[in-house]
Amino acid sequence: MPHVLIVDDEPNTRAALAEIVAAEGFTTAVAGDLREARIQIVRQAPDAVLTDLKLPDGSGMDLFQDLDPKLAVEVILITGHASVESAVAALRLGAADYLVKPINIQRLKAILDRIPRAGDLKAEIGSLRDELPVSAASAACWATPPPCSNCMTKSAKWRRLRPLSC
């Protein structure tokens, strides 16, 4: 089950967001400041972070430094103090979205729908495996970069899928 970290210094906002996110099928963790958020990130790496821009001990954008770039965590900035400058800065850092308080619940749900779920990913992997060529020659070509011209001549489908590079 995907995991979302909610970071906001307002307890009512944290609770409301946690309820909405949980209803969408995610596990949640909450934090009221950057220090607590960093503890939660160490406890369980989130699939997404919903963070307020202004926190008691810094900016929600400071969390980008604490997230492993290999995990491709979706970061959604939330603020009641929106500005073009902060929106541009957030997007440059890699924010997936930028929400203004009061939060549009339908938009939040649409953002949450974009977060990959394990079941969806497994189904996609299965369908991609079904599309792969099954002959031993073509399997060897897929596994051996760069493709050798000897293997490529054996499979017309292979030639369509990958250009000749040797």
Side-chain angles (χ1 to χ4, degrees):
M1 185 177 293
H3 183 67
V4 177
L5 172 60
I6 299 162
V7 187
D8 198 298
D9 57 331
E10 175 56 45
N12 292 336
T13 302
R14 277 195 314 264
L17 286 171
E19 189 174 319
I20 293 164
V21 170
E24 293 298 307
F26 296 86
T27 60
T28 62
V30 295
D33 57 32
L34 291 173
R35 185 187 64 74
E36 289 178 24
R38 289 176 174 129
I39 291 169
Q40 291 296 337
I41 289 168
V42 170
R43 282 188 183 153
Q44 182 175 359
D47 297 291
V49 176
L50 296 173
T51 182
D52 195 358
L53 183 61
K54 293 191 176 191
L55 296 166
D57 54 350
S59 168
M61 288 194 270
D62 295 339
L63 288 176
F64 281 98
Q65 302 167 40
D66 300 310
L67 299 169
D68 184 348
K70 292 180 277 184
L71 297 179
V73 177
E74 298 272 334
V75 178
I76 299 98
L77 268 293
I78 301 169
T79 186
H81 309 281
S83 71
V84 173
E85 293 81 14
S86 66
V88 169
L91 294 174
R92 282 189 177 151
L93 285 171
D97 221 314
Y98 186 92
L99 297 174
V100 179
K101 292 179 183 178
I103 297 167
N104 178 321
I105 304 303
Q106 293 309 110
R107 185 158 175 221
L108 175 59
K109 288 181 178 183
I111 292 167
L112 294 173
D113 283 342
R114 295 189 321 227
I115 297 171
R117 312 214 180 198
D120 296 341
L121 293 174
K122 286 179 184 176
E124 185 175 354
I125 289 168
S127 70
L128 291 171
R129 280 190 180 137
D130 292 342
E131 293 176 20
L132 286 174
V134 292
S135 73
S138 60
C141 287
W142 281 106
T144 310
C148 64
S149 57
N150 181 39
C151 292
M152 289 179 54
T153 59
K154 295 178 183 177
S155 169
K157 186 174 182 180
W158 174 257
R159 286 190 300 274
R160 287 191 313 269
L161 295 174
R162 284 183 75 174
L164 184 60
S165 63
C166 38

